[in-house]
Amino acid sequence: MAFINDNFLKLPGSYLFSEIARRVEAFKASHPGVKLIRLGIGDVTRPLPPACIEAMHKAVDEMASADTFRGYGPEQGYEFLRRAIVENDYAGLGIDASEVFVSDGAKSDTGNFGDILAQANTVGVTDPIYPVYIDSNVMGGRAGTLAADGHWSDVCYLPCTADNGFAPQIPDRRLDVVYLCYPNNPMGTTLTRSQLAEWVDYALANDTLLLFDAAYEAFITEPDVPHSIYEIEGARRCAVEFRSYSKTAGFTGVRCGFTVVPKDLTVKAADGSRVALNAVWNRRQCTKFNGTSYITQRAAEAIYTPEGKAQVRATIDYYLRNASTMLSGLRAVGLEAYGGVNSPYIWLKTPAGVTSWEFFDKLLNEANVVGTPGAGFGPAGEGYLRLTAFGTYEDCLEAMDRIAKNIKK
């Protein structure tokens, strides 16, 4: 008889975005013909950059000829893309192409990285947090049991609230692993260079592994906000960084990202020896992953051409204009809203006494706007709702108009 991994049975019955989809479908069934404006799930709406399309067409043509056909590629990613990443995203930061692993996206890598970490590791997360960080540790047996208040017993939560400027406090105890996501999803907030340096100092002093999700770094506009954790001295010895092309270049349907695992980064084995994470992650990928497609990697490489950079910048600026429009529109009607400056996300405080899911339903039914309840991102997310700037500019304007007319503070 086969047995299930019981850790999967500990997960709540419905994934956050599945529950949102269920409620939206129920609304559509009872309100046919009503136009919904979807500002909930963080999917993009702008087309792929022309440079990427051109590169993909050329790569497809190569696959049609025996002379240029490509079969299995390197599990770590083709050298041409890894080199482009190092030369453009990490220039001057001491990162080598052998430390870059191309994948099908940051979500996969952040979820899969726990494969190479022992079950006994203590885990810290900012709260609220992207659900994959928590759920993957539940699956890995590191989270404990779920309490009625939404906390997992073995997870250290680092609350991010308006009272602390949405910046997590450094733990007063040692943790083995800490997840950081900046610019943050869902809050849209950032850490300054000095704030991030405090985390690196903590990690080095406590032999803590930082898993740093920088999927939204391209949206950074302020000079004191680091684009990479490796801009901080010492980070190569304590941090793994995850990147994605999903939101920067519209690759949500193409799937491509990468993870940087410096060779300086080691962790302890059961016998007390130090093990290089780069080699272990490489072994994991070679066993469980056959690499991102050649066509996709050629498209990603095109992002780094002069034309590609300009086209991606235009797309990001489009979404940032949406975010600015939403931020000012929400504040104009007396609602508290955060983020939207270095990020495509708006973190909206619900009216007094209204829960996240109640406000979700209110927006859906009264303004016909879809958001994401903050409670789905962790206990500290209760009382907030996330809106994304990935819709069209016209939809963002209309959504703010609907909220102004239908939603009172």
Side-chain angles (χ1 to χ4, degrees), residues 268-307:
K268 280 186 179 181
D271 62 4
S273 63
R274 304 293 299 193
V275 178
L277 269 187
N278 181 284
V280 180
W281 180 245
N282 183 63
R283 183 67 175 85
R284 188 269 178 202
Q285 292 297 82
C286 289
T287 300
K288 286 189 164 186
F289 185 59
N290 260 349
T292 306
S293 78
Y294 172 72
I295 297 168
T296 296
Q297 291 191 61
R298 281 300 187 191
E301 179 194 27
I303 293 169
Y304 297 108
T305 64
E307 298 82 7

Side-chain angles (χ1 to χ4, degrees), residues 156-204:
C156 177
Y157 290 83
L158 308 168
C160 300
T161 66
D163 291 339
N164 62 13
F166 301 103
Q169 182 176 346
I170 299 294
D172 58 5
R173 64 184 179 94
R174 185 190 170 278
L175 295 170
D176 295 311
V177 181
V178 173
Y179 289 79
L180 297 175
C181 174
Y182 289 98
N184 186 269
N185 178 16
M187 297 178 295
T189 55
T190 56
L191 293 182
T192 64
R193 192 171 304 277
S194 61
Q195 289 173 322
L196 188 55
E198 291 179 6
W199 277 102
V200 171
D201 290 343
Y202 166 83
L204 293 173

